[in-house]
Amino acid sequence: MDYKVVLSNQAENDVAEIYGYILNSLQSQINADAVLSRLYSAMNDLSFMAETYHSYPNEPWRSMGVHYFSSGNYSIFYVMDKDVATVIHVCYGKRDLDNVLSDYK
């Protein structure tokens, strides 16, 4: 099944923060652009791969249908509804993922 991929406002903010951190704190335009490109490519792959990734194992997010996968050092979280895959969060994968998801209800 093909899905339309949508980024929530939170996911857009997450990606902007990741880009800004690499650009400003690490002072690397090349790396910031490369990470941004890889993240958007991975999220676009949800259009034909959304059903293949794992459900998030912890409650209550598992019951809410949250799925996730990794792209490089980053974790991408999303939910599916009919023919739409909505990315809800993008974060550095070594963060406390339950805490990252705590605002998703």
Side-chain angles (χ1 to χ4, degrees):
M1 173 177 204
D2 288 341
Y3 289 86
K4 176 181 177 185
V5 179
V6 175
L7 273 68
S8 69
N9 290 338
Q10 180 62 56
E12 289 178 357
N13 290 339
D14 293 343
V15 171
E17 286 179 15
I18 291 166
Y19 184 83
Y21 174 77
I22 297 169
L23 181 65
N24 299 316
S25 296
L26 303 181
Q27 298 183 343
S28 179
Q29 175 82 47
I30 293 170
N31 287 337
D33 290 346
V35 167
L36 187 70
S37 177
R38 282 194 305 270
L39 287 174
Y40 276 109
S41 177
M43 289 184 283
N44 284 331
D45 286 349
L46 287 173
S47 66
F48 61 91
M49 295 180 63
E51 295 172 337
T52 64
Y53 294 114
H54 301 286
S55 294
Y56 190 70
N58 300 346
E59 293 295 346
W61 305 284
R62 181 180 179 89
S63 296
M64 293 179 192
V66 175
H67 293 258
Y68 75 109
F69 67 101
S70 296
S71 176
N73 292 327
Y74 298 92
S75 293
I76 298 171
F77 299 90
Y78 65 98
V79 293
M80 296 178 290
D81 183 30
K82 299 181 184 175
D83 61 347
V84 177
T86 303
V87 178
I88 58 171
H89 267 295
V90 180
C91 71
Y92 182 67
K94 301 229 185 239
R95 291 187 56 197
D96 177 350
L97 301 180
D98 285 352
N99 190 43
V100 169
L101 289 173
S102 66
D103 65 351
Y104 181 72
K105 304 281 183 226

